Amino acid sequence: MVACFSLSTVDLSPAKSFPATSRPSFTPHDALIYLQKCANPKQTKQVHAKIVRHSLHQHQIIVASLIRLYSSHGELNYATLVFQQIENPSTFAWNLLIRACTVNGCSGRAILLYNSMICEGVSVDKFTFPFVMKACLACCCVEKAKEVYGLAVKTGFCGDVYLDNVLIDLYLKCGVLYDALKLLDKMRVSTVVSWTTVVAGLVYNDRMDVAQRMFDKMPMRNVVSWSAMINGYAKSENPGKAFQLFAEMQCDNAKPNEYTLVGLLMACAELGSLKLGRSVHNYAMKNGFEIGVFLGTALVDMYSKCGSLEYAKRVFEETEIKSVATWNTMITSLGVHGHHEEAIAYFGKMESMNVKPDAITFTGVLSACLQTDDVEKGRKYFYHMIECYGIKPIVQHYVCMFQMYSQMAKLPEQI
């Protein structure tokens, strides 16, 4: 089978006006063009080898491209190898690798790399600190984030709005609400992003009372801040407040987006109001919203929870692109409404369309098997989940299996 991309396909035969021993040179420009065409790790490694053979592995732009590519492929060790081959890595190269570590789930490694950078006396810039603080957020290292922020202030980055926003976001996501509010209050210039970050963070921490007070104080609001509040109230003990806010949003001439409508649909589901749910659906259609994966899944969920399985199925079928969450919602909805055989049939459709199921999918499938008293089918899907998809069983899966065997008045041979 011929590879779609290979360096061997390049015509290296000598031109008529040159000696037979002449070979075209491999310039940095050529290397960058090849790297842009790389679609997988194998191709990247092939080009990388050619770059090394032509002594271009110290070229800063090429190095940056290699680190980015390896990072995007999840090949962090190769990205690190490229970095280690640089004689005097620039601040830009250090930043790239720190970011690559964070993006690939190695936040601890990113922080260690930053420590090495400081110990070696490498100059930091305005991009270094946000990258490191995002690594701190990933492992919830609040004290380290404070240390990094302190160094940023000492090195002349005091008052950097973007850096302040990153730290506020970290504080809120790590549950340090007081420090987040204190930093917002101390900011020389607080933007709508700063205020929205605070409001969204307070909603995330289920502090709707404080979120409302901060929202009321906002000098300017955007669709993100409105949507955050609407989503917060949709999940609260007062979901009806979401519609009150939506009315205020329209009076404020703020244009809602898909996330706003999803929040409203969640509120409808909590209220069990099919009438309100249909009104949101009609609003979406009249205002040109595309019923994509996110909105489509929310509509299926709303219609199901409001008692209209027929509309839920109709929306599901009309949604062209379906995510695993969309399928899970439909399978679960069918099970809740007592259509257990149909739920299992939908799982079959899901597999036939090459959509990879997850643990939630199999919770729905096993629950359907439980309700139909089909132990053998339940057992088959339990092992199918493990052997074909490598999904480790969770508590809900074991509960379903135990209940199935209990109903049949016999214990499992192997679970």
Side-chain angles (χ1 to χ4, degrees):
M1 181 175 162
V2 179
C4 295
F5 176 92
S6 174
L7 294 174
S8 61
T9 60
V10 179
D11 184 8
L12 298 177
S13 59
K16 292 181 181 180
S17 57
F18 291 92
T21 56
S22 171
R23 294 176 66 85
S25 62
F26 186 69
T27 66
H29 179 69
D30 296 329
L32 291 170
I33 289 175
Y34 276 121
L35 288 172
Q36 287 175 359
K37 295 179 180 178
C38 292
N40 56 55
K42 183 179 179 181
Q43 293 173 359
T44 305
K45 290 169 188 176
Q46 289 175 345
V47 178
H48 187 187
K50 191 172 179 71
I51 287 168
V52 173
R53 286 199 303 271
H54 287 79
S55 302
L56 296 175
H57 56 286
Q58 296 292 330
H59 193 285
Q60 292 292 330
I61 299 177
I62 291 174
V63 165
S65 295
L66 279 168
I67 292 174
R68 280 199 198 96
L69 261 177
Y70 280 129
S71 173
S72 68
H73 297 317
E75 297 278 357
L76 191 55
N77 288 335
Y78 275 96
T80 304
L81 182 63
V82 171
F83 177 81
Q84 290 173 340
Q85 290 175 339
I86 310 170
E87 291 179 6
N88 293 300
S90 64
T91 301
F92 181 63
W94 282 93
N95 290 346
L96 272 178
L97 191 58
I98 289 171
R99 182 182 180 278
C101 290
T102 305
V103 168
N104 283 280
C106 297
S107 54
R109 194 164 162 183
I111 293 170
L112 288 174
L113 193 63
Y114 164 77
N115 291 343
S116 298
M117 182 182 183
I118 299 303
C119 289
E120 292 182 25
V122 180
S123 298
V124 293
D125 62 19
K126 67 177 183 178
F127 299 106
T128 310
F129 300 113
F131 289 157
V132 179
M133 282 204 280
K134 286 178 180 179
C136 293
L137 170 59
C139 55
C140 213
C141 295
V142 177
E143 292 306 313
K144 184 64 180 179
K146 288 181 178 180
E147 175 196 313
V148 173
Y149 184 78
L151 181 60
V153 172
K154 287 179 183 177
T155 49
F157 293 99
C158 181
D160 186 295
V161 177
Y162 179 70
L163 188 63
D164 288 344
N165 290 343
V166 171
L167 185 57
I168 287 173
D169 185 52
L170 181 145
Y171 281 148
L172 290 162
K173 287 179 178 173
C174 294
V176 191
L177 310 189
Y178 175 77
D179 287 351
L181 295 175
K182 187 177 177 182
L183 181 55
L184 177 69
D185 190 53
K186 286 185 175 181
M187 286 178 69
R188 294 175 183 174
V189 178
S190 55
T191 64
V192 65
V193 174
S194 310
W195 283 88
T196 300
T197 301
V198 169
V199 168
L202 291 166
V203 169
Y204 174 80
N205 283 278
D206 295 322
R207 291 301 306 271
M208 290 306 299
D209 53 340
V210 186
Q212 184 66 63
R213 287 201 297 270
M214 297 304 293
F215 183 74
D216 292 338
K217 290 180 182 178
M218 287 184 72
M220 184 181 295
R221 299 162 183 165
N222 60 13
V223 64
V224 180
S225 52
W226 281 105
S227 298
M229 290 297 295
I230 288 170
N231 274 268
Y233 277 116
K235 300 172 186 175
S236 74
E237 296 178 355
N238 187 14
K241 179 75 172 175
F243 284 92
Q244 182 183 326
L245 268 180
F246 182 61
E248 292 175 15
M249 180 183 182
Q250 291 179 304
C251 291
D252 202 39
N253 293 319
K255 188 177 180 181
N257 61 16
E258 186 180 25
Y259 296 95
T260 317
L261 299 191
V262 167
L264 293 174
L265 290 169
M266 288 167 57
C268 295
E270 288 298 315
L271 293 165
S273 175
L274 182 60
K275 182 179 180 181
L276 277 175
R278 282 179 175 170
S279 70
V280 175
H281 191 177
N282 289 335
Y283 178 90
M285 299 299 290
K286 288 177 181 178
N287 287 275
F289 282 88
E290 182 182 350
I291 309 300
V293 173
F294 196 47
L295 192 54
T297 303
L299 280 165
V300 171
D301 184 60
M302 180 276 297
Y303 277 124
S304 170
K305 288 179 178 176
C306 290
S308 181
L309 185 62
E310 179 187 348
Y311 273 99
K313 288 170 70 175
R314 186 181 301 178
V315 172
F316 178 82
E317 296 300 335
E318 290 175 356
T319 304
E320 291 185 11
I321 301 174
K322 303 175 181 70
S323 67
V324 64
T326 315
W327 283 96
N328 289 350
T329 303
M330 192 67 250
I331 290 169
T332 303
S333 297
L334 288 164
V336 167
H337 285 268
H339 297 248
H340 308 299
E341 293 291 351
E342 195 173 0
I344 295 171
Y346 265 73
F347 173 70
K349 290 181 184 179
M350 180 181 182
E351 285 193 304
S352 69
M353 296 186 72
N354 296 318
V355 179
K356 187 178 179 180
D358 59 15
I360 298 172
T361 315
F362 282 99
T363 298
V365 173
L366 292 174
S367 295
C369 293
L370 171 62
Q371 296 303 320
T372 56
D373 296 327
D374 197 333
V375 178
E376 289 308 312
K377 189 174 284 186
R379 183 183 173 87
K380 182 190 80 171
Y381 283 123
F382 183 82
Y383 287 105
H384 181 63
M385 170 185 74
I386 299 169
E387 294 166 5
C388 293
Y389 295 105
I391 298 172
K392 186 177 180 180
I394 58 177
V395 174
Q396 289 87 337
H397 300 151
Y398 286 116
V399 169
C400 285
M401 294 304 295
F402 181 79
Q403 289 179 344
M404 269 187 266
Y405 280 107
S406 296
Q407 286 179 2
M408 295 297 292
K410 64 179 181 179
L411 294 174
E413 298 171 9
Q414 291 179 329
I415 295 185

